[in-house]
Amino acid sequence: MKKTTGMDRSITGKWRPATQAVRGGTWRSEHGETSEALFLTSGYTYDDAQTVADRFAGEDAGMTYSRLQNPTVAMLEERIALMEGAEACRAQASGMAAMTTALLCQLSAGDHVVGARAAFGSCRWLLDQLLPRFGIETSVIDSADNDAWEAAIRPNTKVFFFETPANPTLDVVDLAHVCGVARAHGITTVVDNAFATSALQRPMDFGADVVAYSATKLMDGQGRVLAGAVCGSREFIDEVLLPFQRNTGPNISPFNAWVVHKGIETLDLRARRQSANAVALGAFIEHRLPRILHPGLPSHPRHDLAREQMVATGPIFAMDVGDRATAFSLLDALELVDISNNIGDARSLMCHPASTTHAGMTQEARDEMGVTEGLLRINVGLEDVEDLKEDLDRALAAAGL
């Protein structure tokens, strides 16, 4: 592969996903390194004044400042965009930086957003608390009700915002239907795809306009750094998102970008194996639980839809064990699985959303979403699934289940 081949869409666009994950976005310096270089620099120098003037005027494609461009970050952005099937991508400092940027860059006072009620706690905070502070109206609906999306549209509706599968209740949104409704009304769809990534689901294939990520999760995959990304058309990224990012600064560090870039090389393998482990573990314990939620299990109300939209159904599932005391007893009895509020890690992790990821929400909002006191969320990792079964079997018994 030549030094600049990884940045040439006329070539990389023909590669299959696994090849794109390993080779896409690679740009080699004059040294010809095999592992992509890490450029730790805040700024750049120039041989003459006209060069810098041309770059700041947008007439020369070179680097100007790491709040706008960095070679390491640019490689990550190209790899994510390529895998997503997007024209462009901008990396962010965290997943929530990505969600906030994807919304605020295109909204103004007087606009209206329709969001799914089932969402990560901080994403619901954006809808319930932040956007209304700026005069942006919001409505939350049951995302599984296809008719509810169109019914919620107002003359000033600008954005549909949702996750699929959703955190932590694993609600699945009908991408083709919802994106079709949005497009028919001139509404932009912003999809949080963190639970799946492009390795398992590509929302743009179903008509989504913007796809946002917490790359902290499966893309890094080993619990090391915070990162986010927003993908979209070249026009949206350069003309709508970039001015917001340039002037507000939610940028990722080159080191974190490099870590995620390397993590993506194994994303396809990890995501598929963790998905298989999740289905196997869920099926093993399902008969002992009042309720289990995973789109890979036939018991999920949108199991068939998930299988249509997704290559595999992801490493996350939720289970309701009845009440907080039982949930805490189960967590305390774990020996192999860690108690942790992260997801996407190669290690299996479990948390109690009502007291962690969704603790900042009102009880009314948690009830609306189905985040009960007995709900537990598990990220199934790469351990031998038989060891995970033994650990959950022991913990369930200790909790009286």
Side-chain angles (χ1 to χ4, degrees), residues 165-203:
N167 183 0
T169 53
L170 283 302
D171 291 25
V172 174
V173 177
D174 187 335
L175 282 164
H177 176 84
V178 175
C179 293
V181 169
R183 188 148 295 182
H185 291 271
I187 296 166
T188 300
T189 48
V190 177
V191 181
D192 176 352
N193 197 37
F195 263 35
T197 76
S198 60
L200 303 182
Q201 175 178 266
R202 301 209 317 175

Side-chain angles (χ1 to χ4, degrees), residues 357-379:
T357 58
H358 292 67
M361 299 178 62
T362 64
Q363 184 65 53
E364 180 183 8
R366 287 198 297 270
D367 290 344
E368 177 189 63
M369 293 173 61
V371 180
T372 66
E373 288 296 312
L375 193 74
L376 291 167
R377 187 194 68 194
I378 180 169
N379 167 83

Side-chain angles (χ1 to χ4, degrees), residues 108-160:
S108 301
D111 290 342
H112 175 240
V113 177
V114 179
R117 69 185 185 191
F120 177 51
S122 294
C123 289
R124 272 298 299 262
W125 183 86
L126 293 179
L127 290 171
D128 297 343
Q129 302 293 329
L130 183 67
L131 296 183
R133 293 182 190 175
F134 294 95
I136 300 165
E137 301 171 3
T138 62
S139 302
V140 291
I141 63 166
D142 178 0
S143 63
D145 182 350
N146 282 356
D147 294 335
W149 290 96
E150 188 153 21
I153 294 173
R154 302 174 185 173
N156 57 335
T157 303
K158 295 295 177 65
V159 169
F160 282 176

Side-chain angles (χ1 to χ4, degrees), residues 217-240:
K217 309 304 190 291
L218 277 165
M219 288 188 188
D220 170 23
Q222 293 167 71
R224 299 167 295 189
V225 298
L226 298 180
V230 181
C231 301
S233 67
R234 175 66 63 186
E235 180 182 9
F236 176 83
I237 295 296
D238 288 352
E239 298 181 17
V240 180

Side-chain angles (χ1 to χ4, degrees), residues 212-272:
Y213 283 105
S214 171
T216 307
K217 309 304 190 291
L218 277 165
M219 288 188 188
D220 170 23
Q222 293 167 71
R224 299 167 295 189
V225 298
L226 298 180
V230 181
C231 301
S233 67
R234 175 66 63 186
E235 180 182 9
F236 176 83
I237 295 296
D238 288 352
E239 298 181 17
V240 180
L241 185 143
L242 181 56
F244 180 91
Q245 185 167 357
R246 176 192 294 120
N247 294 296
T248 59
N251 301 71
I252 192 171
S253 75
F255 177 77
N256 286 10
W258 182 84
V259 170
V260 175
H261 195 256
K262 303 308 292 180
I264 289 176
E265 292 179 1
T266 60
L267 172 60
D268 184 77
L269 295 172
R270 289 185 286 102
R272 290 172 185 262

